[in-house]
Amino acid sequence: MRTLLDGKYAEVRDLVRANLAEHAKILVDEEQMTTADFRERVKDVVVMMAETGQTGMGFPEEYGGGGDLGASIAAFETLAMGDLSVLVKVGVQFGLFGGAILQLGTKTHHDAYLADLVSGRTLGCFAMTESGHGSNVQALGTVASYDVEAQEFVITTPDDASRKDYIGNAAAHAEVAAVFAQLEVDGERHGVHAFVVPIREDGRVLDGVRIEDCGPKMGLNGVDNGRIWFDGVRVPRNALLNQFAEVTPEGRYLSPIDNPNRRFFTMLGTLVQGRVCVGGAGINAAKVALTIATRYAVRRRQFEAVSPDEEQVLLDYGMHQRRLLPLIARTYALHFAQEVVAGQLHDVFSGPGPTEEGADEHARRMLESRAAATKALGTWHATRTIQECREACGGAGYISENRFAALKADTDVFTTFEGDNHVLLQLVAKGLLTDYAGEFEDMDQLGMARFVAGLAVETVVERTSVHKLVQSVRDLLPGGEKWDQEAGLLDPNYQLAMLRFREEHMIGGVARRLKRGIDQGQNPGAVFSRVQDHVIAAAQAHAERLVLEAFVAKVAEVPDGDLKVALNLLCDLHALSTIEADRAWFMEHGRLSSQRSKAISREVGSLCRKLRPLAVDLVDAFGVPQEMLRSPELLTWTDTGPA
């Protein structure tokens, strides 16, 4: 099972695991060091890891990288089994800052920065988010004005709402920032572009730059988040990362993409790697929590439930099985869904760039949508799973040494950085409603209002005709008119059909609600706001279907044998748990009778009992290094207490 989960990048994952074990003491340092000292410790570990090559696998070989984006994603995901301040510091340095230089810059920038940033000699930050402009990147307030006489850009923060905020690496370590600002030439604005801006030299903050520490956070205190203001900071003309736009010496603005909206979203689309990485990190953090909680549950005894002479192991209780085993199944499902999106990312970014001949724009849009959907589900799953596992370990789970304190605190932000999950699901829904046409990520309310006003609702309703779906399912499954009552619960075609029905019914329902409001002459923005909960629900239903499809497809690839039997049990448990969790919707919409609903619950309980003997093997297959689990009191429990 471990071989299956590690996939084609098993060697990469093992390299990261070995490094995690080598630096395991950092988990103790996080609890014992001051914030300032721990930040230095995290920085030192990140630089040491850079020397092994594991953090630069996605960069071109000529700059010291590994030339394999898929390997880079696998390494980052695995790193999430350790200290998450290290993970985020790596993400900022190599994913965000390095990704901006690589994807938005050209050879001039690559030659100037990539070798040093890949090796960790130059530390940088990604200065996009502002205090007043978070998800609405198009409205950023920082301005970069071109001075034609000096052939320089002048970077200015006009007000406190436009200060760069929550910027990782900024408070202590970054020497260079990738700064996103409104490009202004001769008084004319050309939208948000990225610039390379030095902010420190030999540890000293440069003139015109003001940096303030964000202070203590809920978690990730090994990451030096800061705020940055720019007061007329001058950078040369070639500081503009000019993959998609250029300003000539005499002040002419040129771009291969004429439409400013499309240009902006193409630029942001090249940074999708961050979302893929965060989703994978959340899933892997959940694996750590499940490994600890499951191992504890087969050691800890409580109450004489079936024998007067011996208390019963926690995982032999049906409720404890119900708490942990569906989460293990869902983690497997999300792992395989993450594998799909990481593969798509590798394929898309290994092909022609978005402005090059042969570029597949539709594939890029599909990738952006799938990355957003998987990131949302993966990070929400981490938050829910870590909390459930903490509770499943009782009071012991509250002790810092047992890892849940750090896991909870450090992963909580995953649901909102690299895109707030609800905003990301709006992006997913927009793709579903337009079949991935038009400017994809225009998620501010004004943009949504324009989108709603121009939506071809009839086309959406026709495309998502539930009647057609039901007819095709009737042909596929036994039962004819009563396919959803008589098909086998463990038939993956039935399970997928149920999730597909929910998804298409919801998408069509959103389209009809939007049409009704527009036909009545209501303000498009108000119409969208009123149905926003339906929009999010439809996108989440779509994401759930993609996850199950990935799991079913993976099981189908595995040859017959014990491994396939175990995966089938897990896949069935995940599918039926998903249907059971939303049984009210299925019953409301005539796809689930009360009798069948009860049968699904019975089957979920039965699957949990069948998987109970495999539980430890299933979590051990995640391959979390023993040193990363810590939790000696939880994991060495015997009949008489801690060993």
Side-chain angles (χ1 to χ4, degrees):
M1 188 72 85
R2 164 94 170 264
T3 300
L4 180 73
L5 290 175
D6 281 358
K8 64 185 289 190
Y9 294 113
E11 289 186 12
V12 170
R13 296 182 191 276
D14 282 340
L15 170 64
V16 177
R17 289 183 178 113
N19 275 277
L20 288 174
E22 180 182 346
H23 298 292
K25 189 178 179 295
I26 197 168
L27 299 177
V28 179
D29 296 337
E30 188 270 334
E31 297 166 1
Q32 297 179 348
M33 285 183 168
T34 65
T35 296
D37 287 345
F38 187 56
R39 285 176 172 178
E40 294 304 312
R41 175 82 167 99
V42 168
K43 182 196 77 171
D44 290 344
V45 169
V46 170
V47 172
M48 283 189 284
M49 293 172 72
E51 293 171 357
T52 71
Q54 72 185 64
T55 55
M57 293 178 180
F59 292 94
E61 293 180 15
E62 59 262 41
Y63 300 107
D68 189 335
L69 187 55
S72 174
I73 303 298
F76 188 83
E77 291 171 355
T78 310
L79 195 58
M81 294 176 177
D83 178 77
L84 293 172
S85 285
V86 171
L87 173 94
V88 172
K89 190 93 168 173
V90 166
V92 168
Q93 169 71 9
F94 304 100
L96 295 178
F97 173 63
I101 301 293
L102 177 63
Q103 300 295 343
L104 302 181
T106 52
K107 191 174 189 303
T108 299
H109 307 102
H110 298 169
D111 290 346
Y113 294 103
L114 285 187
D116 284 343
L117 77 83
V118 167
S119 66
R121 291 190 295 270
T122 295
L123 298 182
C125 64
F126 184 82
M128 177 184 280
T129 301
E130 296 177 355
S131 298
H133 308 97
S135 298
N136 188 8
V137 178
Q138 272 188 301
L140 292 179
T142 303
V143 178
S145 301
Y146 184 61
D147 180 342
V148 68
E149 291 186 7
Q151 294 190 22
E152 294 175 330
F153 290 101
V154 184
I155 314 293
T156 303
T157 304
D159 50 50
D160 274 351
S162 303
R163 70 187 182 186
K164 299 300 180 182
D165 211 346
Y166 321 120
I167 308 303
N169 264 8
H173 297 140
E175 300 154 275
V176 182
V179 177
F180 289 76
Q182 302 286 351
L183 173 58
E184 188 175 275
V185 182
D186 196 23
E188 182 181 355
R189 290 278 179 95
H190 295 279
V192 174
H193 293 66
F195 302 80
V196 182
V197 182
I199 59 174
R200 281 188 181 86
E201 186 174 321
D202 297 327
R204 181 185 71 84
V205 176
L206 295 176
D207 293 341
V209 179
R210 179 158 65 97
I211 298 177
E212 181 181 283
D213 199 311
C214 287
K217 308 185 292 291
M218 281 180 64
L220 298 175
N221 284 306
V223 181
D224 50 315
N225 293 84
R227 303 182 179 103
I228 312 175
W229 291 257
F230 300 97
D231 183 13
V233 174
R234 288 180 171 268
V235 293
R237 186 178 63 87
N238 65 5
L240 171 65
L241 293 173
N242 60 338
Q243 180 67 243
F244 301 112
E246 178 69 275
V247 175
T248 66
E250 61 274 16
R252 285 185 62 218
Y253 178 82
L254 304 172
S255 173
I257 305 174
D258 293 333
N259 184 295
N261 270 348
R262 181 166 174 262
R263 182 168 59 243
F264 173 73
F265 297 119
T266 300
M267 178 182 73
L268 286 195
T270 63
L271 305 175
V272 70
Q273 177 180 342
R275 281 180 192 155
V276 175
C277 285
V278 171
I283 296 163
N284 275 268
K287 292 175 184 176
V288 178
L290 284 165
T291 301
I292 296 169
T294 303
R295 287 199 192 175
Y296 178 64
V298 298
R299 288 169 172 79
R300 181 75 156 98
R301 294 181 180 274
Q302 195 83 283
F303 303 113
E304 298 87 350
V306 295
S307 167
D309 303 320
E310 185 177 49
E311 292 186 279
Q312 185 161 321
V313 170
L314 290 180
L315 200 56
D316 286 342
Y317 287 100
M319 187 63 222
H320 216 78
Q321 294 172 11
R322 270 280 196 159
R323 296 175 76 177
L324 296 182
L325 291 169
L327 292 177
I328 293 173
R330 186 172 179 83
T331 303
Y332 270 79
L334 286 164
H335 175 98
F336 295 129
Q338 173 71 9
E339 192 176 81
V340 171
V341 76
Q344 289 180 344
L345 179 77
H346 179 83
D347 292 345
V348 165
F349 281 82
S350 298
T355 60
E356 297 173 0
E357 186 177 348
D360 188 341
E361 185 173 341
H362 184 76
R364 285 181 175 264
R365 298 289 169 95
M366 294 288 285
L367 168 62
E368 290 173 35
S369 177
R370 186 150 196 154
T374 308
K375 185 268 180 183
L377 262 58
T379 55
W380 273 329
H381 174 67
T383 296
R384 175 193 169 200
T385 298
I386 292 165
Q387 176 64 27
E388 191 66 56
C389 289
R390 204 294 299 160
E391 293 182 30
C393 292
Y398 206 62
I399 305 300
S400 292
E401 185 180 31
N402 297 330
R403 286 226 60 189
F404 291 109
L407 285 170
K408 277 172 59 69
D410 290 346
T411 60
D412 197 74
V413 74
F414 286 13
T415 59
T416 50
F417 75 23
E418 284 302 308
D420 175 280
N421 284 351
H422 286 96
V423 175
L424 291 183
L425 288 180
Q426 284 185 195
L427 182 156
V428 174
K430 184 175 180 184
L432 295 172
L433 290 166
T434 61
D435 201 21
Y436 309 99
E439 284 76 35
F440 196 55
E441 204 171 337
D442 195 357
M443 283 292 110
D444 67 303
Q445 287 303 107
L446 180 59
M448 290 307 302
R450 294 195 197 101
F451 153 64
V452 170
L455 184 63
V457 175
E458 294 84 353
T459 304
V460 176
V461 173
E462 173 63 22
R463 195 176 70 242
T464 59
S465 170
V466 171
H467 173 75
K468 292 179 186 175
L469 173 67
V470 171
Q471 185 60 52
S472 65
V473 172
R474 285 173 185 160
D475 297 338
L476 186 67
L477 293 172
E481 293 287 337
K482 297 183 178 180
W483 64 267
D484 50 349
Q485 304 300 318
E486 297 181 10
L489 293 179
L490 304 184
D491 185 339
N493 290 315
Y494 163 74
Q495 297 161 357
L496 284 168
M498 289 288 279
L499 296 198
R500 185 81 197 192
F501 174 87
R502 180 180 63 171
E503 173 190 350
E504 297 203 357
H505 195 288
M506 285 184 169
I507 296 168
V510 167
R512 285 188 290 270
R513 286 179 172 87
L514 292 173
K515 176 175 171 55
R516 190 180 309 126
I518 298 300
D519 288 350
Q520 292 171 355
Q522 299 175 28
N523 179 280
V527 173
F528 177 79
S529 183
R530 192 163 58 247
V531 304
Q532 205 165 15
D533 56 333
H534 296 280
V535 169
I536 299 299
Q540 192 158 352
H542 170 71
E544 293 278 10
R545 192 259 301 171
L546 291 179
V547 170
L548 181 57
E549 276 187 349
F551 203 166
V552 170
K554 177 58 70 172
V555 174
E557 294 173 4
V558 176
D560 291 343
D562 292 344
L563 182 60
K564 193 180 188 87
V565 170
L567 284 172
N568 268 317
L569 291 171
L570 283 168
C571 191
D572 287 335
L573 179 56
H574 169 67
L576 295 184
S577 296
T578 301
I579 295 169
E580 182 188 47
D582 205 15
R583 68 170 117 198
W585 188 93
F586 287 108
M587 293 176 81
E588 283 178 354
H589 294 82
R591 295 269 72 90
L592 199 60
S593 67
S594 58
Q595 292 83 3
R596 196 162 178 85
S597 175
K598 292 174 183 177
I600 286 175
S601 291
R602 287 194 298 271
E603 191 63 55
V604 168
S606 173
L607 288 164
C608 286
R609 289 189 292 275
K610 290 175 182 176
L611 283 165
R612 159 64 182 93
L614 305 177
V616 173
D617 289 338
L618 292 173
V619 296
D620 283 355
F622 294 148
V624 182
Q626 186 68 32
E627 296 86 349
M628 294 297 99
L629 297 174
R630 294 182 74 197
S631 313
E633 188 173 305
L634 294 182
L635 301 183
T636 57
W637 196 278
T638 69
D639 291 353
T640 57

